Amino acid sequence: MSTAARNKAGRRGWSLRRLLALIRKEFIQLRRDRLTLAMIISIPAMQLILFGYAINVTPHNLQTALLVQDHGELSRSFIGSLKATGYFSLVRRARNEAELDHLLRSGAVQFGIQIPPDFGRDVRRGTRPSLLVLADATDPATTGSAISALEGLQTRLFKRELRGPGAALAASQTPFEIRIHRRYNPSIKTPFNIVPALLGIILTMTMLIFTSQAVTREYERGTMEGLLVMPLGRLEIMIGKIVPFVLVGFVQMGIILLAGHFLFHVPMRGSLWLLLALASLFILANLAVGYTFSTLARNQLQAVQMSFMFFLPNIIMSGFAFPFRGMPVWAQHVGEVLPLTHFIRIVRGIMLKGAVMDDLMTDTLAIALFTLVAVAVAISRFRQTLD
């Protein structure tokens, strides 16, 4: 048998030495691929931290605005008991009903509570006055536990204050009534909460993944040199690479909005044109992030890995999957940096609340600032890559 034939027969057989050599080669290659190695370590660590520390399905210390029109003893006792539940953080004092409505519509507070005039006098007279509680029910999971705690106050409040002639009144019936108005989603329909937020999730996912492969694909296919010799500036090449994905984003928006309206009956109470304008800003922010990833990655797999590393915190910390205000303060600060957090508030505000630009100014400025930073980084990285 010839040497070539023996080598061929040997390759067909099973060899532990060759197998171990191949395994060793794969470990060496993995060690040299620092980005993939970092992903292997960081993704489980990120999931452990986010799911272990940041997730809380029973939010406490929810931002609450008060409209106090009675400053008597019983009103002060009610406010003190409200704080003691642990579910309400009294952050604002509204001057009138219009301001209370604006705070709710803009998302500045989760609850608005109105104590009516002569509340204490009516309680002592036994006429059972009504306390109005306005709850932002665009995310029902956020308000459920707090509303239950609030309803429980009716039966145990004012036991100390209603003594003497009022003791019989306190024992026979609840001394006041709590009227809860679940604003913007009174029937607590899940699609009203999910569909608007899903618009931001899908745009984030597709814009990141598609754009993150824009430059790496050119290098892998060997076509980047062809782009460089064309009479195009660097910024022109960058714009030309991302504009098609902007159009893709608007097509996806149209599909989601039409499906939400006709299949799930999600309302559009605000301006569609305002939504499209702010969605353009959000799309640009994600395209800039994706393009930055494409200049950092050596291949398309690494680009997708980077996109996933950015996409995972967006899902968990934006308020899409879990109540945003249920997260600890440090996690909320991180979530405020993410554009998806603000875009979900914008979409829910326009579609469910009929919010106008004045109500959405804070979230719009946050996305605009993120977009400016992301575009600046993308342009900087783009020049470095071409050089």
Side-chain angles (χ1 to χ4, degrees), residues 279-292:
S280 301
L281 185 63
F282 176 71
I283 290 173
L284 179 59
N286 284 288
L287 289 176
V289 173
Y291 208 90
T292 302

Side-chain angles (χ1 to χ4, degrees), residues 142-162:
T142 304
T143 57
S145 299
I147 289 176
S148 298
L150 190 61
E151 291 173 335
L153 290 178
Q154 295 180 97
T155 58
R156 62 178 184 270
L157 199 60
F158 302 151
K159 298 295 184 183
R160 182 183 60 185
E161 289 82 359
L162 295 178

Side-chain angles (χ1 to χ4, degrees), residues 110-222:
Q110 194 75 38
F111 287 93
I113 300 177
Q114 180 179 358
I115 301 177
D118 301 322
F119 172 72
R121 185 192 65 181
D122 292 340
V123 167
R124 297 185 186 279
R125 287 181 176 180
T127 57
R128 298 190 71 234
S130 297
L131 282 172
L132 179 61
V133 177
L134 305 175
D136 182 353
T138 52
D139 186 2
T142 304
T143 57
S145 299
I147 289 176
S148 298
L150 190 61
E151 291 173 335
L153 290 178
Q154 295 180 97
T155 58
R156 62 178 184 270
L157 199 60
F158 302 151
K159 298 295 184 183
R160 182 183 60 185
E161 289 82 359
L162 295 178
R163 294 178 177 175
L169 173 65
S172 63
Q173 61 180 358
T174 54
F176 63 97
E177 178 184 5
I178 294 180
R179 292 186 179 180
I180 299 173
H181 290 183
R182 291 177 172 86
R183 288 282 186 89
Y184 318 122
N185 188 9
S187 54
I188 316 181
K189 294 182 178 179
T190 303
F192 282 26
N193 174 51
I194 295 298
V195 172
L198 195 61
L199 178 61
I201 291 292
I202 292 177
L203 287 177
T204 300
M205 179 176 62
T206 54
M207 295 300 102
L208 278 176
I209 293 177
F210 291 162
T211 316
S212 66
Q213 302 178 58
V215 174
T216 54
R217 186 188 299 113
E218 298 289 350
Y219 278 112
E220 286 187 352
R221 294 177 178 176

Side-chain angles (χ1 to χ4, degrees), residues 60-82:
H60 289 72
N61 298 314
L62 298 172
Q63 286 89 337
T64 304
L66 286 178
L67 175 56
V68 181
Q69 298 172 307
D70 180 280
H71 299 278
E73 177 190 9
L74 297 186
S75 296
R76 293 193 298 270
S77 177
F78 171 77
I79 294 173
S81 299
L82 199 66

Side-chain angles (χ1 to χ4, degrees), residues 17 60 88 260:
R17 191 178 72 173
H60 289 72
F88 302 93

